[in-house]
């Protein structure tokens, strides 16, 4: 009770001081326009005291020219307005007193600075890398990476990011990174997310934010951090937009194109985007399985498998929205975001099963696998934004509904023969009907309150409810007729509700800045295994603290420390115990008994001269979720892959990032990361310890040439890494691009060649007690893409980024 009284007394004192301050202050407002009555965005507005001309406060007008000084003390003032392209403007003097507690200038018209426009041309370009307290930003727009790549290819070229064959992203050697789009996670399986990123053009991406230690405002999911892809949002005045197209080839034809349109006035903004992606791919994989009996040192048999995968991606995505500017402080927005596509695959496979000691062929199998995958996604969003003033005091509200449906029709036909190519078994055939239906509902509120210029409070609440259903059915061929395979068919319904709240405080003083936060998430899950009549449920509350401390020694030296506690919830797909056959001799299945993994992450950064970044990091994760391999108990020639909580994980790392400019025509960014992964994996009666060291290198070089030409050359290298029970060998790639600006710099034409020497192959080894896998994947990564982009219409205005409250669940579907 005593603590509650102290708390209430503190609130009362703060409120009393606030009211007392407010009683001796007034607000000043106005709007800055040009001679055509169009807004002048981001003009500098300075409030001066009359008696000595000193500056009382400096602010910046918003994107439509509005400015406000909310709490100016009583006194005599004048306002001075500056803008590069317009002449300075100084108002007449005015008085604020208890009788005049508000002063509205109305419309202030600035005259065009013709001398500046005729003599000065400024081409300002953001640095490719920006280091912030809680994230690193890679500015993709206007770099050579901006055209000719898919979103999936682009992510693998960002320093510190890697992608494995299962579609899982890693950050600096730690697997389990969450992927966000415009600030929200995507509620998709690994395959579905990969298809979405393949169909997203790098031309539509403005920047990528990497958060190895996210703050409390972000969802706690993602043990290795968060990768946020920020899409372009052109919000220029009038009608404007961009059109782009690309074509090229790898092992098959690649085509793509997009159209962006935007129309904006003072009261309304209407925007839309449509892109289409067409891609014929071809992958080659080889896999050798060694089968062990009991505890023998040498395998008893082994199989050699070769397969070719020929998928055809056809994707269509659109985004349509409308913003209403109810006032200079209030915005109401509506958004519909959708996509549909298909990903048919044709996959011939050969498999030779041999005796290990004699190498004699026991049998061979020839399989044709056909999969017809298609999907439909729809997101409906309504959002409201209230800015109480121009100092960052604001309220944001989001409501989302997502409907995701995907379906895979699969057929596997296999012929068995001996060394003389004579059939030794009847034709084996399996058909699968694999649907997935998910619905997501999300409500989110974020509130930001700056107490002053150096002290800020952020708080918010989020609720999400997800329901996903899979009714998988397999049929097998028996006596020339297909009959249901009840042992592998499965009907599963999963529900999850998360209630989350957070508080984040940030304070800056002298050379220090701090940020501390606490996020609480209550999770309730229910799973219904209808086929087996099994149910499970979990209910838990967890707290996730985070802390950041920065110290600026001087203008050239800065030190940052950070800590966060994170969770990795199993994906909805991983919790579903149904099987998906990749070929007749291997399948993957989920695990309804999975528990979340938790991680403590620590990081120390040293920044030199505002551009060279040294980082030390350490992470300790428990209940690690990783895929294991084993033999099917009903057929020892079939292997399975299943996620399990395999044990604990530690990651130690050091990295260095260096942007350089040796000459005015040569800019570059270099990245080096050395880290060590250590696993402790309990298996039966023993504790298996696995560890590995990795060196990762990345470089990007841009050369400016005469007549608006530019060239970029880059590449990356990974010496190999250890993830759970798998060791991945070294791999890397080199790419190059050439670009020219045309049509008065409103258009660009660009040619990019990816993986020039075709070295981005994956060689790996996975071990268990009963089976060892040695494989190699040969992706369709060497491509040549020619792209064209043209921008038209409108006067420049700051881009407004739109996001919804639900995009943080999709990559778990």
């Amino acid at each position: 009770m005593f603590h509650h009284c102290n708390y209430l007394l503190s609130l009362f004192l703060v409120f009393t001081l606030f009211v007392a301050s407010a009683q001796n202050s007034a607000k000043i407002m106005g709007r800055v326009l040009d001679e055509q009555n169009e807004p002048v965005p981001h003009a500098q507005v300075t409030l001066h005291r009359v008696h000595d001309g000193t500056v009382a406060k400096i602010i910046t007008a918003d994107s439509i020219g509005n400015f406000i000084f909310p709490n100016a003390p009583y006194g005599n003032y004048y306002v001075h307005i500056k803008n590069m392209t317009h002449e300075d403007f100084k108002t007449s003097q005015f008085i604020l007193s208890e009788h005049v507690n508000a002063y509205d200038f109305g419309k202030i018209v600035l005259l065009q600075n013709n001398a500046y426009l005729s003599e000065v041309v400024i081409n300002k370009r953001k640095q490719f890398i920006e280091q912030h307290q809680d994230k690193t930003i890679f500015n993709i727009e206007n770099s050579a990476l901006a055209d000719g790549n898919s979103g999936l290819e682009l992510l693998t070229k960002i320093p510190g990011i890697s992608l494995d064959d299962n579609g899982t992203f890693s950050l600096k050697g730690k697997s389990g990174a969450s992927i966000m789009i415009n600030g929200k996670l995507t509620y998709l399986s690994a395959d579905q997310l990969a298809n979405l990123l393949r169909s997203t053009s790098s031309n539509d991406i403005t920047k990528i934010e990497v958060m190895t230690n996210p703050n409390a405002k972000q969802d706690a999911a993602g043990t290795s951090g968060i990768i946020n892809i920020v899409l372009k949002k052109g919000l220029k005045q009038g009608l404007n937009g961009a059109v782009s197209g690309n074509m090229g080839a790898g092992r098959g034809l690649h085509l793509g194109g997009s159209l962006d349109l935007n129309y904006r006035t003072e009261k309304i903004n209407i925007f839309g985007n449509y892109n289409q992606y067409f891609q014929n791919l071809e992958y080659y994989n080889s896999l050798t399985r060694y089968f062990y009996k009991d505890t023998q040192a040498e395998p008893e048999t082994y199989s050699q498998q070769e397969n070719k995968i020929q998928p055809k991606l056809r994707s269509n995505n659109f985004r349509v929205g409308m913003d209403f500017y109810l006032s200079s402080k209030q915005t109401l927005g509506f958004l519909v975001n959708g996509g549909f596509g298909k990903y048919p695959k044709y996959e011939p496979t050969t498999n030779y099963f041999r005796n290990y000691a004699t190498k004699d062929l026991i049998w061979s199998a020839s399989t044709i696998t056909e999969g017809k995958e298609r999907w439909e996604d729809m997101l409906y969003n309504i959002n409201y934004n209230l800015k109480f003033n121009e100092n960052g005091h604001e309220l944001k509200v989001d409501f989302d509904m997502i409907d995701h449906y995907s379906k895979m029709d699969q057929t596997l036909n296999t012929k068995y023969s001996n060394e003389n190519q004579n059939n030794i078994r009847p034709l084996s055939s399996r058909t699968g009907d694999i649907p997935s239906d998910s619905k997501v509902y999300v409500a989110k509120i974020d509130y930001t309150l700056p107490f002053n210029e150096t002290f800020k409070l952020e708080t918010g609440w989020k609720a999400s409810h997800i329901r996903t259903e899979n009714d998988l059915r397999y049929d097998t061929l028996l006596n020339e007729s297909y009959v249901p395979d009840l042992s592998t068919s499965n009907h599963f319904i999963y529900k999850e509700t998360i209630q989350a709240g957070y508080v984040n405080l940030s304070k800056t003083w002298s050379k220090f800045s701090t940020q501390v936060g606490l996020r609480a998430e209550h999770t309730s899950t229910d799973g219904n295994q209808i086929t087996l009549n099994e149910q499970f449920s979990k209910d838990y509350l967890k707290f996730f603290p985070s802390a950041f401390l920065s110290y600026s020694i001087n203008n050239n030296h800065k030190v940052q420390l950070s800590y966060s506690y994170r969770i990795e919830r199993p994906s909805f797909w991983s919790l579903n115990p149904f099987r998906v056959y990749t070929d007749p001799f291997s399948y993957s299945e989920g695990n309804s008994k999975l528990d979340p993994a938790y991680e403590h992450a620590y990081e120390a950064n040293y920044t030199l001269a505002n551009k060279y970044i040294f980082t030390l990091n350490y992470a300790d994760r428990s209940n690690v979720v990783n895929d294991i391999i084993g033999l099917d108990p009903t057929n020892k020639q079939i292997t399975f892959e299943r996620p399990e909580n395999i044990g604990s994980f530690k990651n130690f790392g050091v990295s260095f990032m260096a942007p350089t400019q040796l000459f005015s025509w040569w800019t570059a960014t270099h990245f080096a990361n050395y880290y060590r992964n250590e696993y402790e994996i309990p298996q039966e009666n023993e504790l298996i310890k696995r560890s590995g060291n990795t060196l990762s290198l990345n470089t990007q070089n841009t050369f400016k040439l005469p007549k608006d030409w530019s060239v970029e050359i880059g590449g990356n290298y990974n010496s190999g890494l250890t993830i759970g029970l798998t060791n991945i060998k070294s791999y890397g790639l080199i790419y190059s691009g050439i670009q020219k600006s045309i049509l008065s710099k409103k258009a660009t034409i660009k040619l990019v060649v990816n993986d020039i020497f075709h070295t981005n192959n994956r060689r790996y080894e996975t071990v268990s007690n009963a089976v060892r896998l040695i494989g190699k994947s040969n992706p369709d990564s060497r491509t040549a893409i020619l792209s064209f982009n043209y921008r038209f219409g409108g006067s420049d205005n700051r881009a407004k980024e739109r996001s919804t409250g639900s995009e943080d669940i999709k990559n778990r579907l």
Side-chain angles (χ1 to χ4, degrees):
M1 182 67 181
F2 177 74
H3 294 293
H4 290 298
C5 291
N6 278 342
Y7 177 70
L8 292 173
L9 180 60
S10 299
L11 284 179
F12 176 75
L13 290 174
V14 171
F15 178 75
T16 302
L17 292 172
F18 177 79
V19 171
S21 174
Q23 288 176 342
N24 294 311
S25 63
K27 63 180 179 179
I28 306 164
M29 67 190 75
R31 190 176 190 199
V32 184
L33 304 175
D34 62 17
E35 294 170 280
Q36 285 73 43
N37 209 36
E38 292 289 335
V40 177
H42 318 308
Q44 178 182 296
V45 185
T46 308
L47 183 65
H48 293 264
R49 301 179 184 90
V50 170
H51 69 280
D52 57 3
T54 58
V55 175
K57 194 169 186 180
I58 301 175
I59 62 173
T60 301
D62 64 17
S63 60
I64 55 176
N66 293 311
F67 68 87
I68 183 170
F69 296 95
N71 297 303
Y74 293 161
N76 294 1
Y77 299 97
Y78 68 89
V79 168
H80 188 189
I81 301 175
K82 292 183 178 181
N83 181 265
M84 275 190 183
T85 58
H86 294 79
E87 295 181 3
D88 290 3
F89 182 88
K90 191 178 294 184
T91 70
S92 56
Q93 300 176 10
F94 59 93
I95 300 175
L96 297 179
S97 66
E98 58 183 0
H99 304 294
V100 183
N101 56 17
Y103 201 95
D104 189 352
F105 283 101
K107 297 180 179 180
I108 299 176
V109 177
L110 301 186
L111 301 178
Q112 183 171 290
N113 186 344
N114 293 319
Y116 170 86
L117 293 177
S118 62
E119 295 177 8
V120 180
V121 176
I122 294 180
N123 291 315
K124 187 176 180 181
R125 192 173 181 175
K126 288 184 178 179
Q127 290 184 346
F128 179 65
I129 299 174
E130 297 178 17
Q131 180 68 32
H132 293 246
Q133 188 175 56
D134 53 2
K135 61 188 172 185
T136 303
I137 298 176
F138 298 89
N139 292 301
I140 303 304
E141 189 172 10
N142 298 323
S143 78
L145 297 178
D147 293 312
N149 290 297
S150 69
L152 192 66
E153 293 168 330
L154 176 63
L155 283 182
T156 61
K157 295 179 179 179
I158 298 300
I161 298 177
S162 59
L163 174 69
D164 65 21
D165 287 339
N166 296 321
T168 301
F169 285 92
S170 298
L171 275 176
K172 294 183 178 179
K174 296 193 300 177
S175 62
S178 297
I179 303 297
M180 305 173 75
I181 296 179
N182 284 348
K184 321 293 175 173
L185 296 175
T186 58
Y187 294 82
L188 300 172
S189 69
D191 288 341
Q192 294 161 352
L193 176 61
N195 287 339
L196 174 63
L197 294 176
R198 284 190 189 99
S199 61
T200 301
S201 170
S202 56
N203 187 62
D204 297 328
I205 298 173
T206 181
K207 61 184 176 181
I208 292 176
E209 300 174 339
V210 175
M211 293 170 268
T212 50
N213 267 0
N215 62 33
K217 186 175 182 180
Q218 306 295 336
D219 287 75
T223 46
S224 72
I226 295 173
I227 303 167
N228 182 32
I229 301 170
V230 181
L231 302 179
K232 293 180 183 178
K233 294 295 169 191
L235 291 180
K236 300 176 181 179
Q237 290 289 341
L239 178 64
N240 57 88
V243 60
S244 66
N246 63 79
M247 66 178 297
R251 292 175 178 143
L253 180 65
H254 293 219
L255 293 173
S258 67
L259 175 65
D260 288 272
L261 290 174
N262 193 96
Y263 178 73
R264 181 176 180 180
T265 67
E266 294 182 10
K267 293 296 184 182
I268 193 171
N269 182 66
I270 303 172
F271 58 91
N273 166 272
Y274 172 76
N275 70 69
Q276 187 178 55
Y277 205 66
F278 173 104
Q279 192 175 56
N280 290 344
L281 301 167
E282 192 170 291
Y283 304 100
Y284 297 96
N285 295 324
S286 62
L287 178 64
T288 302
R289 300 180 178 96
Y290 295 93
F291 301 95
Y292 293 80
K293 186 177 182 180
D294 301 325
T295 57
Q296 292 178 350
E298 288 190 347
E300 185 179 36
T301 56
Y302 71 101
S303 69
Q304 295 172 298
Q305 179 176 302
E306 301 284 340
N307 70 323
K308 179 169 67 173
I309 307 173
Q310 296 173 296
K312 296 181 179 181
L313 176 64
R314 308 290 186 263
S315 179
N316 300 267
N317 300 288
F318 64 90
R319 190 176 179 93
V320 179
M322 183 178 298
D323 292 323
F324 295 95
Y325 304 109
L326 306 178
S327 68
S328 60
K329 299 178 180 179
Q330 299 183 78
T331 304
L332 178 65
F334 301 91
L335 175 68
V336 178
N337 190 18
F340 59 94
K342 55 186 180 180
Y343 194 61
K345 289 191 291 185
Y346 179 80
E347 185 175 348
T349 303
T350 57
N351 203 307
Y352 298 93
F353 193 77
R354 300 178 183 273
N355 181 286
Y356 182 78
T358 65
K359 304 300 187 289
D360 291 335
L361 180 69
I362 301 173
W363 49 256
S364 66
S366 177
T367 303
I368 300 296
T369 303
E370 292 187 81
K372 298 178 181 178
E373 182 182 0
R374 57 191 184 277
W375 67 88
E376 297 175 3
D377 275 308
M378 290 298 296
L379 178 146
Y380 307 92
N381 166 262
I382 180 171
N383 58 85
Y384 173 75
N385 188 9
L386 171 61
K387 291 186 176 181
F388 297 96
N389 56 42
E390 293 301 318
N391 298 324
H393 186 193
E394 65 178 354
L395 175 71
K396 294 181 178 179
V397 182
D398 265 294
F399 297 97
D400 287 353
M401 185 186 80
I402 294 175
D403 189 355
H404 169 79
Y405 177 78
S406 65
K407 191 174 188 298
M408 166 77 85
D409 296 324
Q410 187 184 56
T411 303
L412 296 90
N413 294 319
T414 304
K415 294 180 180 180
Y416 296 88
S417 58
N418 57 22
E419 58 184 0
N420 297 321
Q421 299 299 310
N422 296 321
N423 292 338
I424 59 174
R425 300 183 194 176
L427 174 70
S428 171
S429 182
R430 174 184 295 275
T431 62
D433 180 9
I434 311 172
S436 176
D437 191 5
S438 303
K439 301 225 174 3
V440 181
Y441 305 91
V442 177
K444 182 181 178 185
I445 298 175
D446 294 294
Y447 176 70
T448 303
L449 175 63
F451 296 107
N452 52 47
E453 293 181 354
T454 63
F455 187 30
K456 181 174 69 174
L457 165 70
E458 295 175 290
T459 187
W461 164 84
K462 178 181 177 180
S464 63
H465 176 75
I466 303 99
R467 182 187 186 277
T468 179
E469 180 175 4
N470 300 95
D471 189 4
L472 180 148
R473 298 180 183 181
Y474 274 116
D475 295 330
T476 56
L477 186 64
L478 181 64
N479 296 326
E480 299 184 353
S481 297
Y482 284 94
V483 296
D485 185 353
L486 300 179
S487 64
T488 57
S489 298
N490 189 289
H491 190 185
F492 180 70
I493 297 176
Y494 178 81
K495 298 178 183 178
E496 179 183 276
T497 301
I498 300 176
Q499 297 276 356
Y502 72 90
V503 176
N504 211 44
L505 290 169
S506 55
K507 170 71 176 174
T508 302
W509 69 95
S510 184
K511 296 183 177 182
F512 286 93
S513 65
T514 61
Q515 184 182 148
V516 294
L518 181 65
R519 186 178 185 91
E521 294 190 352
H522 177 266
T523 305
S524 177
T525 65
D526 290 287
N528 185 2
Q529 183 67 38
I530 297 175
T531 304
L532 301 178
N533 194 25
E534 294 179 356
Q535 292 85 34
F536 68 87
S537 62
K538 293 181 181 179
D539 191 275
Y540 53 93
L541 172 66
K542 285 289 184 179
F543 294 90
F544 302 94
S546 61
F548 304 83
L549 174 64
S550 299
Y551 175 60
S552 297
I553 302 171
N554 53 43
N555 290 336
N556 288 320
H557 304 277
K558 184 177 182 180
V559 178
Q560 295 184 159
L561 303 174
S562 64
Y563 162 78
S564 68
Y565 184 50
R566 311 285 297 164
I567 184 175
E568 182 182 12
R569 295 185 182 89
S571 70
F572 311 134
W573 202 263
S574 295
L575 289 167
N576 190 343
F578 71 80
R579 296 179 180 179
V580 175
Y581 282 84
T582 52
D583 60 67
F585 311 105
S586 62
Y587 62 83
S588 60
E589 63 181 4
N591 182 359
S592 62
K593 297 180 176 60
L594 288 176
D595 291 319
Y598 297 94
E599 179 175 293
H600 296 276
Y602 308 83
E603 194 167 277
N605 291 326
Y606 167 65
T607 304
L608 174 64
N610 290 319
K611 58 181 180 178
Y612 303 111
I613 305 169
F614 299 85
T615 303
L616 293 172
N617 63 274
Y618 169 72
D620 188 348
R621 188 183 308 175
S622 60
N623 270 353
V624 176
V625 177
N626 203 271
D627 287 336
I628 65 166
I629 59 172
L631 295 180
D632 188 295
T634 64
N635 188 334
K636 297 300 184 179
Q637 296 172 357
I638 297 178
T639 60
F640 68 81
E641 187 176 64
R642 180 176 64 231
E644 294 277 3
N645 293 107
I646 64 169
S648 63
F649 162 77
K650 289 181 173 62
N651 171 269
F652 313 82
V654 57
S655 64
F656 173 60
M657 195 178 300
T660 60
Q661 185 161 1
L662 301 178
F663 306 98
S664 60
W665 47 267
W666 180 11
T667 59
T669 301
H670 312 290
F671 174 79
N673 182 205
Y674 183 81
Y675 58 87
R676 177 176 178 81
N677 288 345
E678 294 182 355
Y679 291 86
E680 290 188 351
I681 306 171
Q683 280 198 354
E684 297 179 355
N685 298 322
E686 61 178 330
L687 183 67
I688 298 177
K689 294 186 178 182
R690 292 178 55 80
S691 62
N693 302 316
T694 300
L695 174 64
S696 177
L697 304 173
N698 183 289
T699 183
Q700 295 169 324
N701 301 267
T702 301
F703 306 92
K704 293 182 179 179
L705 305 178
K707 298 183 179 180
D708 297 323
W709 284 90
S710 63
V711 172
E712 179 156 328
I713 299 175
N716 59 58
Y717 168 77
N718 189 299
S719 66
L721 67 154
T722 299
I723 301 178
L725 300 173
T726 300
N727 285 331
I728 301 175
K729 307 296 183 181
S730 62
Y731 60 90
L733 62 85
I734 293 176
Y735 63 89
S736 182
I738 184 167
Q739 174 178 297
K740 178 173 174 55
S741 297
I742 58 176
L743 302 178
S744 301
K745 296 187 178 181
K746 290 185 176 181
T748 57
I749 186 168
K750 184 174 184 179
L751 175 66
V752 173
V753 181
N754 293 303
D755 194 9
I756 296 173
F757 301 104
H758 206 268
T759 52
N760 194 31
N761 301 316
R762 298 292 192 275
R763 296 167 296 147
Y764 60 91
E765 180 179 12
T766 304
V767 296
S768 74
N769 290 333
V771 64
R772 180 165 64 108
L773 307 182
I774 297 179
K776 179 181 179 180
S777 63
N778 188 339
D780 193 352
S781 56
R782 180 163 57 187
T783 58
I785 306 294
L786 180 67
S787 61
F788 173 80
N789 178 262
Y790 177 72
R791 301 167 299 279
F792 58 89
S795 57
D796 284 337
N797 235 341
R798 182 176 61 181
K800 176 185 175 184
E801 294 173 4
R802 287 289 304 277
S803 63
T804 70
S806 67
E807 291 171 9
D808 58 345
I809 301 175
K810 281 189 178 177
N811 75 332
R812 294 180 55 225
L813 280 181

